[in-house]
Amino acid sequence: MIAEAGLAALWLAAGLAALQFVLMVLALRSPIDVCRAMRGVAVVQGALTLISFAMLLIVFARSDMSVALVFENSHSAKPFIYKVAGTWGNHEGSMLLWVTVLSVAGAFFALLSKRAGERTAIAALGAQAALALGFYAFLLIASNPFARLFPAPPDGRGLNPLLQDPGLAFHPPTLYLGYVGLSVAFSLAVGALLTGEVDAKLARAMRPWVLGAWLLLTLGITAGSYWAYYELGWGGYWFWDPVENASLMPWLAATALLHSINVLAARGALKAWTMMLAVIAFSMSMVGTFLVRSGVLTSVHAFAIDPERGTFLLALLGIYVGAAFVLFAVRGATLREGASFELVSRETGLVINNLLLSVILGIVFLGTLYPLFVEAVSGEKLSVGAPYFNAVAGPLALILTVLVGVGPLLSWRRERRSRLKTLTIPALIGATALAITVILWPGMNILPRLGLMVAAYLLVAGTLPLVARNPLRAPLATWGMVVAHLGIAVALAGMAANAAFTSERLAVISPGESLTLGPWTVQLETVEPAAGPNYTAIEGKLRATRGSGLTMLRPQTRYFSDPPTETNEAAIETFWNGQLYTVIGKADTAGGWQVRLWWKPFVTLIWTGGALIAFGGALALVGRAWRSRRRTSGGWRKERYA
């Protein structure tokens, strides 16, 4: 009955979403007070989807093979954490998680939407219900996660072994929280366009949702990058894979939106642009969901191959995004912009920031979808890879990073006194870094060389907003901005160092033989069989020495029977100045083994920088929440259900 209870909760939630949407239509057509009722309906709807998802978690945890989804994606011998993770490691479960996060976000918005005007809040709750309705219909009509099997099979087919990893147990939910968090910004934009209430109050209501979604997307992308690095055994952290791009595109749009909201909140400007970015940001989330779940992609982590369900998702994408853009086309032109600003001002800096981010987003969007378009039209298969993205987006990203150090030093409206001279020292440090790379590594490629220069510049320039004022009295949001910008510098330094200094060896060697790689000598001692909870493996024992230092590494090639799959498990040793990355491959007929080695100086800075960016976002979120609470202390409870 657990599966039936989950399905019943899903139907009830869908019914409440329909009621919530109808209430919104009635409220906008006539002056009736439905706000309190809509908030209650939204909260119950969120609770019901949580119950439904909890029921799916239980049938996975119990290995209930009478549920088709459990049979297809789990096995009784699987470790418990992967039984649980199997709940969202498949098409139907991930879509239920999607709609659960969407509905719970709507419930929290209903409880906390004190900042938006009442009519805008009503319209936004209606838009959120409309979004949820489409995904309820998708689950109940095309992707029922609770479908039964009669008779129940004795055991399941297992989960994709690539997904049996702690990183993948937490990475998708984090990304989904980010994707769907942008839905609230989308609904607020739709609501504000319907009511015409696009102002600083709306920006302040929208900002915590965008900041929270951006923070979670940052964490999800960083975690996904590290998962790809150590789990896929290919030694890289970003492949420009379409599924990776699917999460990068909403992050780029959310980054632009976050900066645009600040202009709207502070100066009442960029109204139409901010509304369009809110629509684009969530549209990119929808595009990402379509790409990953439609089966149109062939990727290491494309999870569904089902054109019929892909058509359903494409229809939802067309309806929601199309309707939002039509609304924007009709109402966007009627928005009156706020205070004007001069050419040299913080507003101008943020506009340039937005334009560069939008161009980079367009480049990634084009490079991701162009091969699909060509294949659909001509049947010809194309692949757009790293050379295109690095050559086209790389220089723009470097220019954007330079401006990151400039923008926070500018004043609102117009620059009365130049503080740009404080950039002299960062510029000198950047030039020094450039000179060092030219002298010590004359053969280095231009992009990593410029990357190291810009990273050195931003490491100093990023702290200037605190230097210009008393750091102890600076708002937490300012600290968050500074930490996030320093995180960009750290991540950029790691990427540039990885591109410039990584060395690689691939060879077939027999036990007792050695390879040299950079400062390392690596000897293959033995290759022996090994076993895990649900797999067998061959394990290489590698003895790595550098000077007097000794490190033992044990890479594996694993064989899973359910489903039959072979994976490479890299062995990685981390040092203060880099990582030694090793993979064991196939045996040849002469008794030798394929061994692949990488020495990656300072590669860990990539993920350290990602963590710093997310931490900066968290500081800004907490700081703005605390500041808002202090401003409205004593009054917000009265406004809450007004």
Side-chain angles (χ1 to χ4, degrees):
M1 291 299 291
I2 293 174
E4 286 70 24
L7 187 60
L10 200 58
W11 274 104
L12 286 172
L16 288 178
L19 174 61
Q20 188 174 320
F21 181 73
V22 170
L23 288 174
M24 182 271 283
V25 174
L26 293 175
L28 293 186
R29 290 172 64 91
S30 57
I32 58 174
D33 183 11
V34 298
C35 193
R36 184 187 294 267
M38 287 187 72
R39 293 179 195 274
V41 169
V43 171
V44 176
Q45 185 204 146
L48 284 169
T49 56
L50 263 182
I51 291 171
S52 181
F53 189 73
M55 296 299 107
L56 193 63
L57 274 172
I58 291 172
V59 295
F60 265 91
R62 296 175 60 178
S63 296
D64 183 352
M65 298 303 166
S66 68
V67 177
L69 193 62
V70 181
F71 166 71
E72 293 287 347
N73 298 281
S74 190
H75 193 281
S76 59
K78 190 185 298 183
F80 182 75
I81 183 176
Y82 301 128
K83 288 183 181 178
V84 173
T87 309
W88 54 83
N90 57 79
H91 177 83
E92 291 84 352
S94 67
M95 294 310 299
L96 180 56
L97 175 61
W98 215 99
V99 79
T100 299
V101 177
L102 183 74
S103 301
V104 171
F108 274 102
F109 174 72
L111 290 171
L112 304 172
S113 60
K114 58 186 183 298
R115 291 177 175 170
E118 184 171 300
R119 280 178 57 78
T120 299
I122 289 172
L125 282 169
Q128 196 76 3
L131 287 176
L133 264 177
F135 286 94
Y136 285 134
F138 178 69
L139 282 167
L140 294 170
I141 297 171
S143 296
N144 178 10
F146 298 103
R148 290 282 195 183
L149 286 175
F150 297 102
D155 215 329
R157 293 178 175 170
L159 176 66
N160 181 351
L162 284 174
L163 305 183
Q164 295 183 36
D165 179 85
L168 255 287
F170 300 104
H171 161 62
T174 308
L175 275 184
Y176 279 19
L177 286 167
Y179 282 161
V180 184
L182 291 174
S183 71
V184 177
F186 173 87
S187 296
L188 273 168
V190 169
L193 286 170
L194 285 171
T195 60
E197 297 174 347
V198 180
D199 51 20
K201 191 176 179 182
L202 173 77
R204 287 193 283 272
M206 190 183 286
R207 183 160 51 194
W209 292 98
V210 178
L211 188 52
W214 177 85
L215 161 63
L216 291 163
L217 283 173
T218 304
L219 284 175
I221 291 171
T222 303
S225 164
Y226 194 63
W227 169 82
Y229 174 74
Y230 72 78
E231 179 64 20
L232 299 183
W234 59 289
Y237 65 94
W238 196 264
F239 192 64
W240 291 106
D241 179 275
V243 178
E244 291 175 330
N245 294 347
S247 62
L248 180 63
M249 289 188 288
W251 184 87
L252 288 168
T255 306
L257 176 60
L258 197 55
H259 290 84
S260 177
I261 282 176
N262 287 335
V263 180
L264 179 57
R267 304 292 302 159
L270 303 185
K271 290 181 179 177
W273 176 251
T274 304
M275 295 302 98
M276 189 174 72
L277 278 179
V279 172
I280 289 176
F282 184 64
S283 300
M284 291 299 104
S285 295
M286 292 280 293
V287 168
T289 303
F290 167 71
L291 290 176
V292 177
R293 296 296 166 197
S294 63
V296 300
L297 294 178
T298 301
S299 160
V300 290
H301 38 7
F303 306 103
I305 300 175
D306 190 337
E308 292 184 6
R309 288 187 287 193
T311 304
F312 201 129
L313 283 174
L314 186 60
L316 287 180
L317 176 66
I319 291 170
Y320 293 138
V321 177
F325 275 110
V326 168
L327 178 63
F328 177 79
V330 173
R331 305 300 293 271
T334 65
L335 299 177
R336 300 181 63 182
E337 294 295 345
S340 59
F341 51 88
E342 295 185 357
L343 184 61
V344 182
S345 63
R346 182 173 292 191
E347 288 94 327
T348 301
L350 290 171
V351 168
I352 295 172
N353 155 298
N354 269 224
L355 291 175
L356 285 170
L357 281 167
S358 300
V359 172
I360 295 171
L361 171 60
I363 290 168
V364 178
F365 183 84
L366 184 65
T368 304
L369 294 189
Y370 177 69
L372 302 177
F373 176 76
V374 171
E375 185 175 351
V377 173
S378 66
E380 181 184 0
K381 287 187 177 294
L382 290 180
S383 176
V384 177
Y388 160 78
F389 291 105
N390 291 340
V392 181
L396 293 175
L398 287 177
I399 295 171
L400 180 63
T401 309
V402 171
L403 295 178
V404 164
V406 178
L409 300 178
L410 298 171
S411 301
W412 291 110
R413 193 178 177 187
R414 63 180 177 180
E415 187 63 32
R416 294 173 184 268
R417 52 189 176 83
S418 176
R419 285 183 288 178
L420 296 181
K421 60 184 180 184
T422 58
L423 286 170
T424 303
I425 293 177
L428 287 175
I429 290 176
T432 303
L434 178 64
I436 291 172
T437 63
V438 171
I439 294 169
L440 296 183
W441 301 285
M444 185 187 295
N445 288 331
I446 185 66
L447 270 183
R449 190 190 300 284
L450 293 176
L452 288 170
M453 178 191 75
V454 174
Y457 147 83
L458 187 59
L459 274 173
V460 181
T463 62
L464 293 179
L466 288 177
V467 174
R469 60 201 305 173
N470 184 349
L472 297 178
R473 302 188 66 179
L476 205 51
T478 302
W479 273 97
M481 176 193 68
V482 168
V483 171
H485 289 173
L486 290 180
I488 294 172
V490 172
L492 178 60
M495 293 174 194
N498 181 67
F501 304 127
T502 292
S503 50
E504 178 184 2
R505 285 289 304 271
L506 172 62
V508 176
I509 57 176
S510 300
E513 295 181 333
S514 300
L515 293 172
T516 58
L517 176 73
W520 293 95
T521 299
V522 180
Q523 181 186 55
L524 177 62
E525 289 197 341
T526 60
V527 179
E528 297 174 343
N534 60 339
Y535 63 85
T536 59
I538 59 100
E539 181 178 275
K541 185 177 178 183
L542 297 170
R543 178 188 178 89
T545 56
R546 180 174 62 173
S548 59
L550 169 65
T551 300
M552 300 301 299
L553 298 106
R554 297 176 181 273
Q556 293 184 343
T557 298
R558 293 179 179 175
Y559 306 95
F560 294 81
S561 57
D562 297 309
T565 309
E566 179 182 312
T567 66
N568 284 319
E569 295 295 317
I572 303 171
E573 194 69 27
T574 301
F575 304 89
W576 72 269
N577 60 342
Q579 287 190 325
L580 181 62
Y581 187 115
T582 63
V583 175
I584 187 84
K586 302 283 187 186
D588 68 4
T589 54
W593 291 86
Q594 292 176 351
V595 174
R596 194 159 196 163
L597 310 173
W598 283 273
W599 169 238
K600 294 177 164 292
F602 301 106
V603 69
T604 50
L605 292 180
I606 296 172
W607 303 290
T608 304
L612 277 174
I613 295 170
F615 181 59
L619 284 178
L621 187 61
V622 171
R624 292 199 180 280
W626 180 78
R627 191 175 178 183
S628 172
R629 179 68 180 269
R630 191 177 61 173
R631 278 180 176 172
T632 58
S633 179
W636 74 274
R637 289 178 186 281
K638 295 176 183 175
E639 298 174 15
R640 202 170 166 188
Y641 289 105

